[in-house]
Amino acid sequence: MGTVDAIILAAVVAVLVVAIRRFVGTATGTRDCCSGAKRQGAKKFKNVKIADTDKSHYPYAADFSVKGMSCENCVDNVTRALDSVDGTWATVSLEQGRARVLSKKPIDADAYRRAVSEAGYRLV
């Protein structure tokens, strides 16, 4: 194997190591899905299946601005975080940077802020 071949092989291995590290970090929630930056303390929320999708059963509603989202994966993370609050059904829009929360209980903005913050985003 020549010197050029060894350099090319080393470059390919380096790229693979970086790619695998980013993939694993993103999959486990320790790295941001878009930038690959390390996320400090970001919690991965389980997907909550909303069984009751009758809007008339949710007498309370609020709209929030969400900061830090940059892709549909971010939207999914924020939606799961909001839906984790008991009695909540949330829809999140990346284009508008907003979350619409429907709730069966009076709106507790602090609970939503905490959940979204734990996911690594900011609710304004």
Side-chain angles (χ1 to χ4, degrees):
M1 179 186 313
T3 306
V4 173
D5 292 335
I7 292 172
I8 292 173
L9 182 60
V12 168
V13 168
V15 168
L16 279 174
V17 167
V18 170
I20 290 169
R21 184 174 159 215
R22 181 170 174 169
F23 174 78
V24 169
T26 301
T28 60
T30 58
R31 292 194 173 274
D32 181 62
C33 61
C34 299
S35 69
K38 199 164 195 127
R39 289 171 61 180
Q40 298 298 326
K43 179 179 177 183
K44 190 87 166 173
F45 286 86
K46 293 180 181 176
N47 193 14
V48 177
K49 173 81 169 115
I50 304 299
D52 184 2
T53 57
D54 183 347
K55 290 184 180 182
S56 68
H57 294 165
Y58 296 86
Y60 305 98
D63 292 309
F64 298 99
S65 179
V66 182
K67 301 296 181 192
M69 296 188 304
S70 54
C71 69
E72 287 302 319
N73 191 41
C74 296
V75 169
D76 291 341
N77 290 336
V78 171
T79 302
R80 284 193 304 268
L82 291 169
D83 286 345
S84 74
V85 177
D86 189 43
T88 298
W89 180 19
T91 54
V92 180
S93 169
L94 176 63
E95 295 79 26
Q96 298 173 349
R98 302 199 54 81
R100 172 86 170 157
V101 174
L102 302 177
S103 180
K104 293 182 177 184
K105 301 175 183 178
I107 298 294
D108 182 357
D110 289 334
Y112 296 124
R113 257 188 217 96
R114 277 191 303 274
V116 170
S117 177
E118 286 179 21
Y121 304 91
R122 293 182 317 281
L123 198 66
V124 182

